[in-house]
Amino acid sequence: MKKTLQVIMMAVLLVFVASASFAEDPIVLKIGMTTEIGGHYHSGAVRFKEKVEGYTNGKVRVDIFPSSQLGNERDLVEGVGMGFIEMCIVSTGPLPNFSPDFMIFDLPYIFKNRDEAFKAMDGEIGADILKSLEPKGIKALGFWENGFRHISNNKKSIIHPGDVKGMKIRTMENPIHQATFKTLGATPTPMAWGEVFVALQQGVIDGQENPLVIVYTTKLYEIQKHISLTGHFYSPAVCMISKQVFDGLPVEIQDAIVKAEKEARDYERQFSAQLDEQLVESLKNEGVAFADVDKDEWKNACAPVYDQFKSQINPKYLEALLGK
């Protein structure tokens, strides 16, 4: 009897230790992105990781997966919506496929500068648009920054809108982006980001459009020696978490995630702006030739795109931003 009691007590102790060990295991949040280590998304994600792990005293661990390790942007959004990827940071480029409300941000020259963009994204309009992803199983935490997009190519200096006529330009899988380049006379060629470098290298496409940080961190400057500072789209990014995952967390963990995201967002925006200023010189040192353009000329050339998509965009958002 004594021996049996000892065995039972030992078994109970083992179960207790195992339970205690299990209870101490951190909640793991995988966060994916298509951009490279050292870029603006990654740097913001590192800050988010530091903050949320600190605020939760290690109860949450954030694992960062850059460079499309978890898939392209559409894969990431779908994965978060279905709950098998906890978090991601993506540009708004693919998001109209999940909520048409995001189309407002894709219009060419909708924002003149970052301050205008931040005012819209952090206000009532931005909050409503982020909430529109909830039916897809996504809790969008906030708008980060991808940046103003510029055109690169390896053929010639592009100064006037007509200079892109006949060129194959890689765009995101985004109807407004594609329509804009078609309006300019180019051949828009949507393509997953992981395929772009080789396609440019082999001449399958002539150019692409992205913020400078993407050109630099992916070393596109090795095969693209002309950049035109068109700033044709301001490209926000969205930091999102699976709604199913978020709703299943204790309130104190939810609060820590929300707080950490806001601080990481502000850091990422500042990082991105400062990096833009530095990258022109860095890219010049790599042999890239820059061309300044008359943005009013480009904006006028893109004007038909507004008429083409006006009926598909929430008029409240359009009126608010055009009347700013």
Side-chain angles (χ1 to χ4, degrees):
M1 178 68 71
K2 185 176 180 182
K3 202 167 186 180
T4 302
L5 186 60
Q6 286 177 335
V7 171
I8 293 172
M9 290 179 65
M10 184 62 72
V12 170
L13 181 62
L14 288 171
V15 170
F16 175 79
V17 170
S19 300
S21 174
F22 178 77
E24 291 171 2
D25 288 343
I27 297 164
V28 178
L29 300 177
K30 298 188 297 294
I31 183 165
M33 63 204 71
T34 59
T35 54
E36 308 298 316
I37 292 173
H40 47 346
Y41 291 3
H42 183 263
S43 298
V46 170
R47 179 59 62 96
F48 174 76
K49 172 183 172 68
E50 292 169 354
K51 292 293 183 181
V52 79
E53 290 179 359
Y55 290 145
T56 62
N57 295 315
K59 292 178 182 177
V60 172
R61 189 184 83 215
V62 177
D63 291 344
I64 303 171
F65 293 85
S67 308
S68 304
Q69 292 178 39
L70 301 182
N72 63 37
E73 288 199 322
R74 184 157 186 164
D75 295 334
L76 291 170
V77 178
E78 289 174 347
V80 170
M82 289 186 280
F84 60 81
I85 298 174
E86 288 83 11
M87 295 185 69
C88 71
I89 305 166
V90 299
S91 72
T92 53
L95 294 183
N97 296 296
F98 300 87
S99 166
D101 284 354
F102 282 90
M103 293 176 74
I104 187 69
F105 295 123
D106 294 320
L107 290 168
Y109 298 101
I110 190 71
F111 297 121
K112 291 180 182 176
N113 53 54
R114 285 181 167 90
D115 288 341
E116 281 190 357
F118 296 161
K119 183 178 179 181
M121 294 188 300
D122 297 341
E124 183 181 343
I125 289 175
D128 287 348
I129 292 173
L130 291 175
K131 196 171 182 180
S132 71
L133 288 175
E134 289 192 4
K136 300 295 183 181
I138 295 167
K139 180 173 178 61
L141 295 168
F143 283 103
W144 291 25
E145 175 172 277
N146 194 17
F148 282 97
R149 304 178 77 89
H150 309 289
I151 301 171
S152 76
N153 82 102
N154 201 34
K155 286 191 168 184
K156 61 184 179 180
S157 179
I158 294 171
I159 298 174
H160 303 289
D163 294 339
V164 300
K165 188 174 182 179
M167 296 182 72
K168 290 183 179 178
I169 305 293
R170 181 268 176 181
T171 67
M172 289 189 287
E173 187 185 348
N174 181 290
I176 295 182
H177 286 202
Q178 293 173 56
T180 297
F181 278 90
K182 191 173 181 180
T183 297
L184 295 173
T187 301
T189 309
M191 183 181 294
W193 182 244
E195 303 169 11
V196 173
F197 192 97
V198 173
L200 289 168
Q201 197 172 39
Q202 295 178 346
V204 176
I205 50 178
D206 300 313
Q208 62 85 51
E209 49 86 45
N210 253 307
L212 296 181
V213 62
I214 303 296
V215 176
Y216 189 77
T217 56
T218 58
K219 298 188 176 181
L220 281 184
Y221 55 79
E222 294 179 353
I223 53 173
Q224 298 273 279
K225 293 302 184 182
H226 295 281
I227 295 179
S228 301
L229 295 173
T230 49
H232 48 279
F233 301 127
Y234 175 78
S235 183
V238 176
C239 178
M240 58 184 71
I241 186 169
S242 163
K243 191 172 185 303
Q244 177 185 349
V245 169
F246 186 83
D247 290 347
L249 296 172
V251 173
E252 64 272 16
I253 300 293
Q254 293 179 351
D255 291 344
I257 289 171
V258 170
K259 183 179 180 182
E261 184 276 331
K262 282 186 170 54
E263 294 179 8
R265 175 202 69 188
D266 292 344
Y267 171 82
E268 188 267 353
R269 288 177 180 177
Q270 185 178 17
F271 178 92
S272 181
Q274 291 173 344
L275 196 60
D276 252 5
E277 295 175 6
Q278 301 165 8
L279 284 179
V280 171
E281 288 306 314
S282 298
L283 287 164
K284 283 181 179 178
N285 292 336
E286 297 292 347
V288 173
F290 281 86
D292 287 314
V293 305
D294 180 346
K295 290 184 180 178
D296 286 335
E297 179 188 13
W298 281 76
K299 183 177 180 179
N300 290 336
C302 295
V305 176
Y306 281 68
D307 293 331
Q308 185 176 343
F309 288 92
K310 187 176 181 180
S311 63
Q312 300 177 45
I313 296 174
N314 189 318
K316 180 178 75 171
Y317 302 153
L318 199 58
E319 183 181 345
L321 294 187
L322 292 181
K324 59 187 182 293

